[in-house]
């Protein structure tokens, strides 16, 4: 997966309106013959695809471990929609600055996560109940988002709809400093609790007997998962299905019993960067939003996953 990440990253640096050879890419990266197109336009987009994909993969793995269900991902249970609601509030009510978008996305995701968690907690925590309630909340929040867009001014509505597709186009260095720092802190924090997370996924009784504080652990998992999802949403818009597919594909490639974080992160990085390249190439010179491609890929994956789960049942 690391080799595939590097290959896709190199392809992303070479591909554009004009093709750059690998030699030109290496010369620009080392400073021998710096190219603004490669260093300032393509490189931020490639790094955003890899880092944001890893963040979404980890967010998906967190919620699939939390719910013990392959359908438990942020985009399915409504966290993406909640983050989008917060961003819409920043766009339509406030001035829509980068800080307001980031804050609104995080708060929107946290509010929806809190609502889902409270509604699904009935005499104990149930992952299946959380997924079902999350799907229902996702539908309601999505409808609310559509109402906000319809009530907004035309220019704001057009910007909101375009941003809602999810895109890495136009991402520059000035957009990545804070998100990369936040994601690095969140991933490091979750990595330090990965062992406890896997113990908890074996069952509450086993986790408690091995000294895992389930309440604190679940709160941390929700905060990290929402933080990763909302950070990506604030910069690139809601990018669907990467968080759903990456953990399960990574788990199968690693042959793991649970849903480990590292394979999910690597798979998410590969999926998002690959989807972004397809989005650029499919109708070239017109570039599609990466969310359109990830949704198409994720829809096929979701059909396969549901078919397999029904067949197993």
């Amino acid at each position: 997966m690391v080799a595939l990440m590097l290959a896709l990253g190199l392809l992303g640096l070479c591909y554009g309106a004009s093709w750059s050879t690998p030699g030109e890419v290496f010369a620009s990266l080392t400073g021998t013959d710096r190219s603004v197109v490669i260093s300032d336009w393509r490189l931020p987009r490639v790094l955003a695809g890899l880092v944001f994909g890893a963040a979404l993969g980890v967010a998906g793995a967190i919620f699939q471990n939390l719910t013990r269900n392959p359908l438990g991902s942020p985009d399915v249970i409504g966290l993406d929609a909640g983050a989008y609601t917060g961003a819409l509030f920043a766009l339509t009510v406030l001035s829509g600055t980068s800080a307001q978008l980031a804050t609104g996305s995080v708060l929107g995701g946290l509010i929806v996560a809190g609502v889902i968690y409270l509604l699904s907690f009935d005499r104990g925590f149930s992952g299946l109940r959380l997924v079902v309630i999350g799907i229902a909340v996702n539908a309601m929040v999505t409808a609310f988002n559509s109402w906000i867009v319809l009530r907004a001014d035309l220019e704001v509505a057009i910007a909101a709809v375009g941003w809602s597709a999810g895109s890495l186009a136009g991402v520059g260095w000035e957009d990545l400093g804070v998100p990369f720092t936040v994601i690095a802190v969140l991933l490091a924090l979750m990595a330090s609790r990965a062992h406890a997370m896997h113990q908890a996924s074996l069952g509450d009784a086993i986790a408690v007997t091995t000294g895992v504080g389930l309440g604190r652990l679940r709160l941390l998992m929700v905060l990290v998962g929402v933080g990763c999802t909302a950070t990506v949403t604030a910069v690139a818009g809601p990018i669907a299905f990467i968080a759903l597919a990456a953990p399960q594909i990574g788990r199968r490639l690693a042959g793991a019993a649970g849903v480990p974080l590292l394979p999910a992160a690597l798979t998410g990085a590969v999926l998002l960067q690959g989807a972004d390249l397809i989005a650029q190439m499919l109708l070239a010179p017109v570039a599609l939003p990466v969310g359109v491609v990830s949704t198409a890929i994720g829809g096929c994956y979701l059909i396969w996953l549901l078919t397999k789960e029904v067949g197993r049942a």
Side-chain angles (χ1 to χ4, degrees):
M1 297 303 289
V2 171
L4 191 54
M5 282 173 52
L6 295 175
L8 289 173
L10 178 59
L11 180 59
L13 293 174
C14 292
Y15 182 79
S18 61
W19 177 264
S20 301
T21 65
E24 291 173 335
V25 170
F26 287 122
S28 180
L29 295 181
T30 56
T32 306
D33 185 14
R34 191 175 184 277
S35 169
V36 173
V37 172
I38 295 173
S39 299
D40 294 341
W41 295 359
R42 296 179 187 172
L43 184 57
R45 182 170 186 161
V46 167
L47 291 179
L50 296 176
V51 174
F52 290 169
L56 292 175
V58 169
I62 288 172
F63 283 102
Q64 288 179 15
N65 276 294
L66 184 67
T67 61
R68 300 171 200 163
N69 192 310
L71 291 176
S73 76
D75 42 356
V76 172
I77 64 176
L79 302 187
D80 275 13
Y84 181 40
T85 304
L88 279 178
F89 180 83
L91 285 171
T92 56
V93 178
L94 306 177
S95 55
T97 63
S98 299
Q100 291 171 351
L101 282 173
T103 304
S105 297
V106 173
L107 290 178
L110 286 174
I111 291 171
V112 171
V115 170
I116 294 171
Y117 189 86
L118 290 175
L119 291 176
S120 62
F121 196 89
D122 181 20
R123 291 173 296 179
F125 177 80
S126 170
L128 178 60
R129 189 162 56 241
L130 188 147
V131 170
V132 174
I133 291 175
I135 292 173
V137 171
N138 183 33
M140 290 187 289
V141 174
T142 300
F144 180 65
N145 292 341
S146 299
W147 178 80
I148 294 176
V149 172
L150 290 172
R151 298 285 296 178
D153 294 335
L154 181 60
E155 293 181 359
V156 175
I158 292 174
V161 171
W163 183 78
S164 70
S167 176
L168 299 177
V171 173
W173 289 117
E174 67 279 2
D175 303 315
L176 300 181
V178 174
F180 278 11
T181 302
V182 171
I183 289 172
V185 171
L186 292 175
L187 295 187
L189 184 61
M190 199 62 236
S192 68
R193 300 294 292 160
H195 182 65
M197 180 189 72
H198 290 301
Q199 285 178 297
S201 66
L202 297 175
D204 292 359
I206 295 177
V208 171
T209 55
T210 53
V212 176
L214 288 177
R216 293 191 302 272
L217 177 63
R218 284 171 178 159
L219 178 61
L220 175 65
M221 291 171 68
V222 169
L223 291 176
V224 172
V226 171
C228 287
T229 302
T231 301
V232 175
T233 302
V235 179
I239 301 175
F241 286 108
I242 299 295
L244 174 69
Q248 292 300 314
I249 295 174
R251 180 181 71 84
R252 286 170 170 79
L253 290 175
V259 186
L261 297 178
L262 182 58
L266 295 177
T267 305
V270 168
L271 288 178
L272 185 53
Q273 179 58 29
D276 189 46
L277 284 170
I278 293 173
Q280 295 179 64
M281 297 177 180
L282 198 60
L283 297 178
V286 177
L288 293 172
V290 66
V292 174
V293 177
S294 68
T295 300
I297 296 173
C300 296
Y301 168 79
L302 183 59
I303 292 172
W304 172 82
L305 181 63
L306 291 173
T307 303
K308 186 172 183 180
E309 291 297 317
V310 170
R312 182 182 300 172

